[in-house]
Amino acid sequence: MSYRSTPVPDDALEKITVKGLDFFYGDFHALTDITVGIKEKAVTAFIGPSGCGKSTFLRCFNRMNDLIPGARAEGRITLDGQDIYAAGVDPVDLRRRIGMIFQQPNPFPMSIYDNVAFGPRLQGVKKADLDKIVQTSLERANLWKETKDILGRNGLALSGGQQQRLCIARVLAVEPEVMLMDEPCSAIDPTSVQKIEDLMAELKDRITIVIVTHNMQQAARVSDFTAFFLQEMAGEPAVLVEYDRTANIFTSPKDRRTEDYITGRFG
Amino acid sequence: MREAFRQELKDLKVEVLSIGRAVTGVTRDAVTSLVEGDVDLAEKVIAGDAEIDRRTLQVEEHAIEVTATQFPVARDLRLLHSLTYIALHLERMADLGVNIARAAKRTADRRGPQTLYDLIQAQGNLVYRVLDATCEALEKNDLELARKLQDLDEPIDHLYKQFFRELARLQDEEDIEWASSMVLASRYLERIADNAVDIGERIAYLVTGEFDALHDSDEETG
Ligand SMILES: Nc1ncnc2c1ncn2[C@@H]1O[C@H](COP(=O)(O)OP(=O)(O)O)[C@@H](O)[C@H]1O
Ligand SMILES: [Mg+2]
C-alpha cells in the first residue's frame, strides 16, 4: 500500500486518553460520555455533521475551552497518562505541547521569520539558535524553498495555502507532541490542500495529529483512525458513534448510523 | 447528486443480475445442445458469447467511472466492487458454457451410451438450480441462500466423479474423442457451479462487510 504512509501498528501507544467525557456550554450539554484513545504518531480524523461538537471536543485536548465563560468539562483526559485538567497543569505549557491549526490561517502581522520565531522567543531561545529553528520549522512545513529568500516579508503577504503552512511552521517551532487541526484545508486552494495532506503524512513520524474535517474523502486519505460523532436529536448531547481504523470505517463500518452518514444517506 | 449515484448503483446491479440470468440461459442451451446433439443450438451459444463479453466489460467500465467520480464507501463500495467481481465470474462461466457447446459440436455426429447423456443432464439440472439460487441471492441480498450455494454445489462434484466411473466401464471400441469431450463437458459444468459458489461468497461479503473463510477452489486443475 505504497500510496499510504507507514501503517500504525495495533499496539501503538495512546497519546491522549479520554474517559467518560461530558462537555457543557452553560446549560447546553454538547457532548456526552466520550471515551476514546488517540494513538501516538498517527493521524486521527473526527468526522460528523456540522454542529455535532467536533471542534468542541478538539478544543478540550489543549483546554482552549477554558477561555469560554460558563464552559465546563467532566470526565478525564490524559496526555501520556497525566490528567490535563489536574491542578498544577499550566494551560500555556499544555498548549505548547499540543499545538493548534485553525480553519482560517492566522499568521501574525509580522515577518515570516518573526512568525516562526515567535514561540521559541517566548520560551527564551537564544538569538543565535533562532535561525536554525526557523529554517528547520519552515522545512518541516514544506515552506522553506518558497520563503528562504523572503523571510523578512510580512506573513500576511503569502497566499492562503502558504499562510496555513506558515502557521504549521509556527506550531512546529516549539516542538509540539500533538497537533490539532480544525478544518485546516477548508479555506485554501486544492494545490495547497494537497501539500498540507502530504505534510501530515510526513509529520506523523514525529507527532500525533488530530484533524477535524468535513471532507470525508480527506479523512479517508489522510487518517489512520476515524471517529464519527453524531448529535441524534436537536438539544441532545452528541455521542461518539464509532471509532476504528479508517480503512474499516470506510469499507465496513459497524454502526448503521456511520454507514448512513458516510454514504451520504443523511446529514 | 447522491440520488443519481444511488440510482446508478441500482441500475448496475440490475444489469449484473440480467447477465447472470443470461448465463443461466447459456448453460441450459449448452447442456441441451450436448445432450440432444443439436448443432444449431450449440452455434447459437457460441455466437452469443461476444454479447456477454461486451456487457461484462461495460459493467467494469461503468464501475471504474463511478469509483473515480463518486467516492463510494461502505456498502456502496462493497456493492460496486462485488458487482465487478461477479460480472467477471459470469463472463468466465459463459466461456465455460461455450466450451460445452463446442463439445456438443464435436460429439454431435455420433451417439454414445444413453446413461452418460442422462448423467450430464442430471448434472446440468443441479447446476441450473445453483445458478438460479445465485441470482436470487444477489437480487435479494439473501445471506442465508448465498451461504447455501456451497451445499448445493456438492452433489455436482459427486456426479462428475460418477461420470468418470461410468466412463471406465466403456468398451474399448468406444470413441476416445467422444468420451473425452463428454468428460470435459462434465468438468466445465462443475466449474460453472464453482464460480457460482465464489459469487455466493462475494454476496456474503457484500451483505456482512466481512470475508467468510474462502472455500478451497480447485486452482490446480484450473
Ligand atoms: N462558545 C460556544 N458557546 C455556546 N455554544 C457553543 C459554543 N461553541 C459551540 N457551541 C455549540 O456546541 C455545539 C457543537 O459545536 P462545534 O463543536 O462547533 O461543532 P462542530 O465543530 O462539529 O461543527 C453546537 O451546537 C454549537 O452551537
Ligand atoms: Mg467545527
Side-chain angles (χ1 to χ4, degrees):
Chain A
M1 303 231 297
S2 55
Y3 64 93
R4 280 192 93 82
S5 46
T6 345
V8 179
D10 279 334
D11 59 358
L13 295 176
E14 282 180 12
K15 184 71 184 174
I16 298 174
T17 305
V18 181
K19 286 217 170 82
L21 185 94
D22 278 69
F23 191 88
F24 304 83
Y25 289 108
D27 292 337
F28 177 60
H29 194 173
L31 293 165
T32 189
D33 200 22
I34 312 284
T35 293
V36 67
I38 305 292
K39 298 283 193 180
E40 188 172 60
K41 293 180 183 165
V43 178
T44 299
F46 291 172
I47 61 169
S50 183
C52 71
K54 304 178 294 293
S55 299
T56 300
F57 187 47
L58 197 70
R59 288 193 302 254
C60 288
F61 294 173
N62 64 352
R63 291 183 53 176
M64 287 260 295
N65 292 321
D66 289 13
L67 311 171
I68 300 168
R72 79 177 193 282
E74 287 172 8
R76 196 174 149 86
I77 302 181
T78 59
L79 176 66
D80 289 337
Q82 297 197 304
D83 190 345
I84 65 163
Y85 282 93
V89 172
D90 174 8
V92 175
D93 183 52
L94 182 69
R95 282 171 216 142
R96 184 203 60 75
R97 294 177 66 193
I98 305 185
M100 188 145 188
I101 300 295
F102 300 88
Q103 177 171 350
Q104 211 59 48
N106 57 348
F108 302 138
M110 50 179 77
S111 72
I112 293 170
Y113 185 101
D114 288 342
N115 261 280
V116 183
F118 190 86
R121 273 190 183 125
L122 278 185
Q123 290 176 317
V125 170
K126 283 199 291 294
K127 215 170 164 114
D129 297 328
L130 280 179
D131 286 3
K132 180 81 198 121
I133 291 176
V134 168
Q135 178 173 347
T136 309
S137 306
L138 284 168
E139 278 170 354
R140 289 179 62 203
N142 284 342
L143 192 61
W144 176 246
K145 280 196 198 118
E146 291 150 83
T147 57
K148 64 181 183 341
D149 298 322
I150 54 165
L151 290 173
R153 197 176 292 175
N154 196 302
L156 293 169
L158 295 170
S159 76
Q162 289 173 324
Q163 287 187 21
Q164 195 62 303
R165 277 178 285 145
L166 177 60
C167 294
I168 292 173
R170 189 176 67 198
V171 165
L172 294 177
V174 296
E175 298 279 341
E177 297 154 51
V178 180
M179 188 157 68
L180 309 176
M181 307 175 91
D182 195 347
E183 305 201 15
C185 297
S186 298
I188 59 182
D189 64 283
T191 313
S192 302
V193 170
Q194 185 64 56
K195 286 188 174 146
I196 288 179
E197 290 185 1
D198 291 346
L199 187 55
M200 292 169 70
E202 290 166 27
L203 291 175
K204 76 165 191 183
D205 285 347
R206 302 175 59 163
I207 64 178
T208 303
I209 297 176
V210 187
I211 178 174
V212 170
T213 174
H214 64 256
N215 180 336
M216 252 153 347
Q217 304 176 35
Q218 181 171 64
R221 280 195 300 267
V222 303
S223 72
D224 303 290
F225 297 89
T226 296
F228 169 56
F229 295 85
L230 182 65
Q231 180 189 31
E232 279 194 285
M233 297 233 276
E236 296 275 302
V239 295
L240 171 61
V241 171
E242 189 165 350
Y243 169 68
D244 201 345
R245 283 192 181 268
T246 298
N248 293 343
I249 294 279
F250 284 95
T251 58
S252 306
K254 295 193 176 60
D255 195 291
R256 184 60 188 239
R257 294 166 293 177
T258 314
E259 173 111 35
D260 286 349
Y261 180 71
I262 64 171
T263 57
R265 283 175 171 82
F266 72 74
Chain B
M1 199 183 80
R2 220 53 194 167
E3 271 318 304
F5 163 62
R6 205 140 291 136
Q7 191 55 47
E8 269 181 57
L9 283 185
K10 276 192 192 129
D11 293 348
L12 206 58
K13 180 168 169 177
V14 167
E15 170 64 1
V16 170
L17 258 174
S18 160
I19 297 173
R21 301 225 155 89
V23 168
T24 310
V26 162
T27 308
R28 276 178 193 277
D29 286 349
V31 171
T32 306
S33 73
L34 181 74
V35 172
E36 292 177 5
D38 185 338
V39 176
D40 290 343
L41 190 56
E43 294 285 7
K44 188 189 129 199
V45 168
I46 294 165
D49 192 47
E51 176 66 4
I52 291 194
D53 287 353
R54 187 192 64 75
R55 288 173 72 186
T56 52
L57 191 65
Q58 203 176 43
V59 166
E60 193 174 355
E61 281 172 354
H62 202 129
I64 289 172
E65 194 182 305
V66 172
T67 306
T69 57
Q70 299 296 319
F71 189 62
V73 294
R75 89 180 102 126
D76 296 338
L77 175 66
R78 300 202 303 270
L79 177 60
L80 202 54
H81 188 261
S82 298
L83 288 178
T84 316
Y85 177 100
I86 291 169
L88 190 70
H89 274 65
L90 290 172
E91 194 261 321
R92 287 189 197 148
M93 290 154 81
D95 288 346
L96 291 164
V98 165
N99 288 346
I100 296 173
R102 293 219 170 93
K105 277 178 67 182
R106 284 197 303 272
T107 56
D109 55 356
R110 78 181 289 309
R111 207 61 203 162
Q114 188 59 35
T115 48
L116 291 181
Y117 288 109
D118 290 346
L119 264 181
I120 287 274
Q121 185 63 60
Q123 200 186 8
N125 292 342
L126 291 174
V127 173
Y128 312 153
R129 203 170 62 146
V130 171
L131 296 182
D132 287 340
T134 305
C135 290
E136 193 185 327
L138 177 61
E139 183 175 20
K140 299 180 178 151
N141 285 333
D142 188 334
L143 182 61
E144 215 176 308
L145 188 56
R147 285 180 170 154
K148 229 177 74 182
L149 292 178
Q150 198 157 354
D151 300 334
L152 291 179
D153 178 48
E154 230 168 75
I156 295 171
D157 298 343
H158 291 320
L159 276 185
Y160 173 60
K161 281 168 194 146
Q162 193 181 336
F163 196 87
F164 254 125
R165 284 196 296 275
E166 292 293 332
L167 267 183
R169 281 197 233 145
L170 288 183
Q171 306 302 314
D172 284 347
E173 64 265 27
E174 295 288 345
D175 182 340
I176 204 74
E177 201 205 341
W178 179 88
S180 58
S181 288
M182 293 304 270
V183 170
L184 277 176
S186 175
R187 173 74 180 139
Y188 296 142
L189 272 176
E190 191 242 321
R191 283 179 54 197
I192 288 176
D194 280 349
N195 275 278
V197 173
D198 282 352
I199 292 177
E201 281 165 5
R202 195 50 60 129
I203 295 169
Y205 166 68
L206 178 62
V207 177
T208 63
E210 275 162 35
F211 287 104
D212 287 355
L214 293 175
H215 88 291
D216 303 322
S217 61
D218 35 8
E219 293 291 327
E220 81 279 7
T221 41

